[in-house]
Amino acid sequence: MLDHCSISHKGGIVLWSRSFTPAAAQAAASSSSPVNSLIREALIEGRTAEDKYEKDGYAVKWSFVNDLELIFVVAYQRILQLTYIDELLATLKNIFVKLFEPFLATFLASLHAATSGSAIIASGQSAASWNFAKAFENWDAVFDRILHGLESKAAQDRKARYKPVQISIEPSPPSDDMSTIPSQSAETTVDEEQIARNVQALKNRLRGKGARGGRRGPGRSDIGSGRESLPGSDSDTPVKRKTKTKTQRKWGEQAPTESDMASLDFSYEKPGDADANRGSLDLNALVDRDSLGTRTQNGMYEVKDWEFGLKDSAADDMISKALMSSQTSKPTSSSGSLGALGSLFARLTGSKVLTEDDLKPVLEGMKQHLMKKNVAKEIADKVCEGVGESLVGKKVGGFQTINAAVRLALSNSLTRILTPKTSTDLLLSIRTKLSAPLPSSQQRMPYSITFVGVNGVGKSTNLSKVCFWLIQNGLRVLIAACDTFRSGAVEQLRVHVRNLSMLGVNGATDSKGRVELYERGYGKDAAGIAKEAIAYARDHDFDVVLIDTAGRMQDNEPLMRALAKLVATNNPDKIIFVGEALVGNEAVDQLTKFDRALRDFSAASGGVGKQRGIDGMLVTKWDTVDDKVGAALSMTYVTGQPIIFVGCGQVRFLVLLVQQGCNELTDDHFVYTIEQTYTDLRQLRVSNVVQAILSD
């Protein structure tokens, strides 16, 4: 049974709708109705390639009529298995367009007539004055007949499917074949001597197996046979093997003294080490002046934007160039994977309505192009399906119109997916919380950010870059060392804190006191350390707490439960997933399982925060992929959350190793890995990412 059905224009004007239950009618009238949620979370964001959309116990399916800009939507209870929904949408779409096409064409022309702002307002008023009830007065009866016919057909199919099948079995006549009569073997008598010989042979066989298996002591076959009471020979006596002990390594003639041990302990800084390190460490190597951010008029420090540099001097879109190249008289082989677009549309002349057959080779070439840009295969399929649905039924006339339609459809689809639905201004969120009014009896809590991700993606390194950005904006930062598993994790953060405290802010010689490290060593509970760090930051007037966590694989359930416990216990303001730009299909698996595990296990753990998922992403090693930035598209499509920052500086580090001609990493090179310049942090602009993905 259906709950709701509606026909509306893509601009938001509802032409016809019907609710079949009072609860569905009440839900359809609210802003959080399943249809409104479908428009906000699926259609606007370009997720139209999904099979269906589910919200609050409802399942929603839809279909488009692109040439008339119509959307047909059907909502029903998710628990019901209605097999006729797809056929219902197709039938409604065909019959509705055939019955009311003249009226719909006139209505669509009136909406497109507006060109200026005042004309748009007037067009909205005229659209509101349309009498849809009178125009579609016969549609209710037609809809009832269609729905009743499909429901009756579905009921008959169910009855035929579950109808019991009666099978009649006729008794077979008796057979005259004598070979079918069971044969009876003659009884053979076995005397006592034969039985004794058989038993002895069995014992000997079992005893032989025990000897071959290396079994120690008397076997089960020996018990009761008298062998256990007989004295064994010398060869039967078990030989005790001497355990081989590991020889201790000698480091010198004498054991190390306490002073020797203290000189070898680099876990903590000794008095005077800070001044010595200040003199020996080149502070200019910690900050790259070329990649340093800019300050606004109000003194806010902003990191640089990542800009995609075109190799050509042409400013036109690369798809436009591919399409225009097919018009030349000399046939040239397209080196790019989008050459199929130009070769297809160059053959289309005059006015034509695009069909699925026309777009099939284009969409296949588009999918291959996206996969070459490091987009996950699953995401590439869905993006191409969404672009195809938006182009099917479009009337194109002339090459320029086709060019504009293709470019607009693909660019709009990528832009809708990459455009964040939440704010990416992290600094605004921090200052909003810190400036919010509080009761006099309540103490202000710091803004907490938790960094999560798999092993080796650069969580600690990019956490320090975010810390540098926060310090430059005048905030006091406490770094919580909650990676109590990886060896050297606490020491790595300690070196970062030492370096960051030496860097100046707004001309100051250093930023000492603006950043501290909170750590409790190794093997401790990460959730407890984070809770203590937040309390310490609250009591000592820190503005932000950056929580570093241990890397873990997305399939490791015990470690994911431990991470969810940290989230549920401390309820951080932001949970940032740190991932690599080098991954393709793995990005979908990592983000999906991290987000689902955090939501499931954090809700099960209870605590302050419930149902917490990923709030944003930080993509590392961004400058190693050139224009293959498809990981950004895959990550944003999976979670619907924005990419807050991208980390770079990896290429400069690799060049440094090559210039030094090193064949293996030593302690000196480890200093370079943890001391990448703290300015190697960038912001993403949607237009730049779209340009990079569409480039040939």
Side-chain angles (χ1 to χ4, degrees):
M1 179 179 178
L2 298 183
D3 282 73
H4 183 77
C5 182
S6 66
I7 304 173
S8 59
H9 181 262
K10 288 185 177 180
I13 302 175
V14 180
L15 305 182
W16 176 87
S17 66
R18 178 190 288 186
S19 298
F20 296 86
T21 61
Q26 184 178 2
S30 63
S31 59
S32 59
S33 66
V35 178
N36 291 333
S37 300
L38 167 71
I39 295 174
R40 288 194 305 267
E41 300 178 9
L43 301 184
I44 293 180
E45 295 182 11
R47 303 171 187 268
T48 58
E50 302 289 343
D51 184 23
K52 63 181 177 181
Y53 172 79
E54 296 181 354
K55 179 75 173 180
D56 298 334
Y58 289 97
V60 185
K61 287 195 173 185
W62 64 94
S63 182
F64 295 110
V65 180
N66 290 318
D67 52 346
L68 295 176
E69 301 180 4
L70 298 180
I71 307 175
F72 292 76
V73 180
V74 172
Y76 56 96
Q77 294 292 329
R78 183 175 58 185
I79 196 173
L80 300 178
Q81 300 295 329
L82 303 182
T83 58
Y84 59 87
I85 296 299
D86 294 333
E87 187 177 358
L88 174 64
L89 285 172
T91 306
L92 292 178
K93 184 169 62 174
N94 294 333
I95 296 180
F96 187 81
V97 171
K98 289 180 180 179
L99 291 177
F100 307 107
E101 186 172 8
F103 173 81
L104 295 173
T106 305
F107 171 72
L108 189 63
S110 66
L111 291 181
H112 290 173
T115 54
S116 61
S118 59
I120 292 175
I121 297 176
S123 173
Q125 294 175 352
S126 62
S129 62
W130 284 92
N131 190 353
F132 297 119
K134 183 178 180 180
F136 307 130
E137 58 182 353
N138 298 326
W139 175 246
D140 289 333
V142 176
F143 176 81
D144 291 335
R145 289 197 299 270
I146 297 173
L147 181 60
H148 179 70
L150 292 177
E151 288 180 343
S152 300
K153 180 182 177 183
Q156 293 177 0
D157 292 341
R158 284 196 300 270
K159 290 181 181 179
R161 191 182 309 118
Y162 296 112
K163 184 178 180 181
V165 180
Q166 298 180 356
I167 302 176
S168 59
I169 302 176
E170 297 180 356
S172 58
S175 176
D176 297 335
D177 190 359
M178 298 300 294
S179 62
T180 59
I181 299 177
S183 60
Q184 297 180 355
S185 60
E187 295 183 359
T188 57
T189 59
V190 182
D191 56 0
E192 294 181 0
E193 294 181 0
Q194 183 66 29
I195 294 176
R197 286 195 297 270
N198 293 340
V199 170
Q200 187 63 32
L202 180 61
K203 288 181 179 180
N204 294 336
R205 191 181 304 116
L206 292 176
R207 192 178 301 118
K209 289 183 178 179
R212 286 193 299 271
R215 186 174 56 195
R216 296 181 181 178
R220 291 186 179 180
S221 61
D222 299 333
I223 299 175
S225 62
R227 284 178 57 91
E228 67 272 14
S229 60
L230 298 177
S233 61
D234 295 339
S235 60
D236 295 337
T237 304
V239 180
K240 294 183 179 180
R241 296 183 179 179
K242 295 182 179 180
T243 58
K244 186 178 181 180
T245 59
K246 182 179 180 181
T247 58
Q248 296 183 354
R249 179 176 297 180
K250 295 181 180 180
W251 293 94
E253 298 295 335
Q254 298 178 355
T257 62
E258 293 185 359
S259 59
D260 294 335
M261 297 295 294
S263 62
L264 296 174
D265 186 7
F266 296 98
S267 299
Y268 298 91
E269 292 185 358
K270 303 174 181 59
D273 286 353
D275 297 334
N277 290 330
R278 182 186 297 272
S280 61
L281 186 64
D282 185 11
L283 297 182
N284 294 326
L286 303 179
V287 176
D288 184 11
R289 299 296 175 183
D290 295 334
S291 60
L292 195 65
T294 58
R295 292 202 175 269
T296 60
Q297 296 179 353
N298 55 2
M300 184 186 304
Y301 174 81
E302 292 184 350
V303 299
K304 276 189 172 184
D305 295 338
W306 176 76
E307 297 180 355
F308 173 68
L310 289 177
K311 297 180 181 179
D312 300 332
S313 60
D316 295 337
D317 190 86
M318 300 306 291
I319 286 187
S320 175
K321 181 184 297 184
L323 291 171
M324 295 299 292
S325 63
S326 62
Q327 276 189 311
T328 58
S329 57
K330 296 181 180 180
T332 58
S333 59
S334 177
S335 60
S337 57
L338 287 180
L341 293 174
S343 62
L344 170 70
F345 289 106
R347 296 193 298 267
L348 303 180
T349 57
S351 180
K352 178 178 176 58
V353 177
L354 296 179
T355 62
E356 294 183 1
D357 294 336
D358 296 330
L359 294 173
K360 187 175 181 179
V362 180
L363 298 179
E364 182 63 27
M366 186 186 302
K367 183 180 73 173
Q368 296 297 328
H369 175 80
L370 293 177
M371 292 173 61
K372 289 181 180 179
K373 293 293 183 177
N374 217 12
V375 179
K377 181 180 183 301
E378 177 184 356
I379 307 303
D381 289 335
K382 293 180 179 180
V383 170
C384 292
E385 289 178 14
V387 172
E389 289 181 0
S390 64
L391 288 176
V392 171
K394 287 282 187 180
K395 291 183 179 180
V396 292
F399 182 77
Q400 292 298 330
T401 306
I402 300 170
N403 181 7
V406 175
R407 182 176 59 216
L408 186 63
L410 183 56
S411 178
N412 287 347
S413 179
L414 298 178
T415 303
R416 282 196 302 268
I417 295 172
L418 292 169
T419 300
K421 59 182 179 182
T422 58
S423 174
T424 58
D425 194 343
L426 189 59
L427 195 60
L428 177 62
S429 302
I430 296 173
R431 292 183 172 175
T432 300
K433 180 177 181 178
L434 297 179
S435 61
L438 289 176
S440 57
S441 60
Q442 187 176 355
Q443 199 171 2
R444 187 176 304 281
M445 297 296 293
Y447 194 93
S448 56
I449 305 174
T450 302
F451 293 81
V452 302
V454 299
N455 308 77
V457 295
K459 291 184 295 297
S460 302
T461 302
N462 287 274
L463 178 146
S464 65
K465 297 177 184 179
V466 175
C467 181
F468 174 80
W469 169 68
L470 294 172
I471 293 173
Q472 295 299 316
N473 282 288
L475 299 173
R476 295 191 68 213
V477 184
L478 179 68
I479 299 178
C482 295
D483 184 356
T484 62
F485 178 77
R486 177 173 63 90
S487 300
V490 177
E491 288 76 15
Q492 181 181 4
L493 291 178
R494 184 176 291 113
V495 173
H496 282 309
V497 171
R498 181 199 66 191
N499 295 341
L500 291 170
S501 62
M502 296 179 184
L503 298 177
V505 181
N506 283 333
T509 56
D510 57 36
S511 57
K512 199 169 185 178
R514 291 186 177 273
V515 56
E516 289 185 17
L517 176 66
Y518 188 90
E519 55 94 5
R520 286 293 179 264
Y522 295 97
K524 306 297 193 316
D525 181 28
I529 296 177
K531 187 175 182 178
E532 294 176 4
I534 294 175
Y536 180 87
R538 177 197 60 198
D539 298 336
H540 293 79
D541 297 329
F542 281 92
D543 300 316
V544 183
V545 178
L546 302 181
I547 303 174
D548 184 33
T549 62
R552 64 205 74 207
M553 296 307 296
Q554 64 272 19
D555 296 319
N556 194 323
E557 182 176 341
L559 295 183
M560 294 305 299
R561 286 185 179 273
L563 181 62
K565 176 187 174 183
L566 185 148
V567 171
T569 303
N570 300 282
N571 192 23
D573 296 282
K574 284 285 185 184
I575 303 175
I576 297 180
F577 177 85
V578 183
E580 288 182 338
L582 304 171
V583 296
N585 294 324
E586 185 68 11
V588 177
D589 187 63
Q590 289 178 3
L591 265 172
T592 302
K593 293 182 178 178
F594 258 88
D595 188 68
R596 184 172 63 243
L598 284 178
R599 293 182 185 277
D600 295 343
F601 297 151
S602 61
S605 301
V608 182
K610 295 183 179 181
Q611 283 288 338
R612 289 298 305 274
I614 302 297
D615 298 320
M617 284 86 70
L618 193 156
V619 186
T620 65
K621 306 172 186 177
W622 187 260
D623 51 350
T624 63
V625 295
D626 195 20
D627 61 344
K628 295 178 176 59
V629 296
L633 182 65
S634 301
M635 292 181 177
T636 308
Y637 192 96
V638 170
T639 61
Q641 300 299 332
I643 295 177
I644 301 177
F645 293 114
V646 293
C648 53
Q650 191 76 12
V651 171
R652 179 169 53 252
F653 166 62
L654 295 176
V655 171
L656 178 64
L657 294 181
V658 173
Q659 288 177 350
Q660 291 181 349
C662 62
N663 296 324
E664 59 181 4
L665 291 178
T666 63
D667 293 339
D668 295 335
H669 301 105
F670 179 72
V671 174
Y672 282 109
T673 60
I674 64 175
E675 293 183 3
Q676 293 185 58
T677 61
Y678 296 109
T679 57
D680 290 330
L681 201 65
R682 298 288 185 272
Q683 284 183 332
L684 280 187
R685 299 296 178 188
V686 175
S687 58
N688 292 337
V689 179
V690 172
Q691 188 180 17
I693 293 177
L694 297 183
S695 65
D696 230 356

